[in-house]
Amino acid sequence: MSLSEFLLAVIAFELLLFFFALLGKYTGNKKKRHFKMRLAKVETDLIDLEFQREKLKMIREDMRGQYDQINEKSVLAGQKLDEEKKKTPSDETVVTNLTNLIERFKPDLEYLKKQMDGMDNELNGEGNPDSLENKLQGYRTLKLMIKEHMKKF
């Protein structure tokens, strides 16, 4: 066998190996393909949950701003009410108006407080298995488990 025939045989053998490797890539290990697809799904779910968490935090901060604004108005009305009551000839209409104003703020403050507490519970509620932080931690753990399992293939 001459050198050119030997080189031709080596090239033919390498081409065969390349085609088998390419064929194996598309028709090969079904388990590995399955776990690659599962890993991609877990990663997209993680991205979705992180997006949801950020949007929920933004909404909560907006509510916090509303709560602080209403609370500040309520505190100022309470201070004015105290000042008005200390006056000897207190104006009853002003006292009544300030009292009504404070009473109108209370339901809004309670509602916003309840909403913010619910969002806090949804974000990172202690003992809440459905909180976003628990879900994110679960998906991160699952991602690591899948990667570790894929090393076997």
Side-chain angles (χ1 to χ4, degrees):
M1 186 159 149
S2 70
L3 182 62
S4 61
E5 290 175 343
F6 177 74
L7 289 176
L8 189 59
V10 168
I11 291 172
F13 182 71
E14 286 181 3
L15 280 173
L16 279 173
L17 286 178
F18 173 75
F19 286 123
F20 281 122
L22 190 62
L23 182 66
K25 181 178 180 181
Y26 294 108
T27 61
N29 196 340
K30 289 182 182 179
K31 287 182 182 179
K32 186 172 185 176
R33 254 194 338 231
H34 167 75
F35 283 109
K36 276 186 180 181
M37 290 175 17
R38 181 71 176 136
L39 183 62
K41 173 76 169 105
V42 167
E43 288 172 346
T44 57
D45 287 349
L46 263 171
I47 292 168
D48 289 343
L49 283 174
E50 288 169 352
F51 173 76
Q52 186 178 358
R53 178 182 61 182
E54 292 305 315
K55 290 300 172 186
L56 197 59
K57 282 182 180 181
M58 287 175 51
I59 292 169
R60 192 206 179 283
E61 286 305 313
D62 288 344
M63 286 184 133
R64 183 68 190 183
Q66 290 175 357
Y67 178 85
D68 289 343
Q69 186 179 19
I70 294 171
N71 193 31
E72 182 179 337
K73 288 179 183 179
S74 177
V75 168
L76 287 174
Q79 290 173 352
K80 288 207 184 244
L81 181 63
D82 290 342
E83 290 174 9
E84 192 64 36
K85 285 182 178 179
K86 287 180 183 177
K87 291 182 183 178
T88 40
S90 62
D91 189 5
E92 288 302 318
T93 58
V94 173
V95 171
T96 305
N97 288 340
L98 288 172
T99 305
N100 290 339
L101 186 64
I102 292 171
E103 291 301 318
R104 275 192 287 149
F105 287 143
K106 283 183 183 179
D108 292 338
L109 288 172
E110 290 171 3
Y111 174 76
L112 288 171
K113 181 70 172 161
K114 185 178 176 183
Q115 291 288 64
M116 287 189 304
D117 289 344
M119 285 186 184
D120 287 340
N121 191 28
E122 188 174 343
L123 277 171
N124 50 9
E126 302 297 322
N128 181 6
D130 292 333
S131 72
L132 287 177
E133 289 300 324
N134 287 341
K135 286 180 182 179
L136 282 168
Q137 186 61 36
Y139 273 105
R140 288 182 189 120
T141 304
L142 180 61
K143 182 179 173 180
L144 291 174
M145 289 169 54
I146 291 172
K147 283 184 177 182
E148 189 64 34
H149 186 68
M150 284 177 61
K151 289 179 182 178
K152 295 177 185 177
F153 301 117

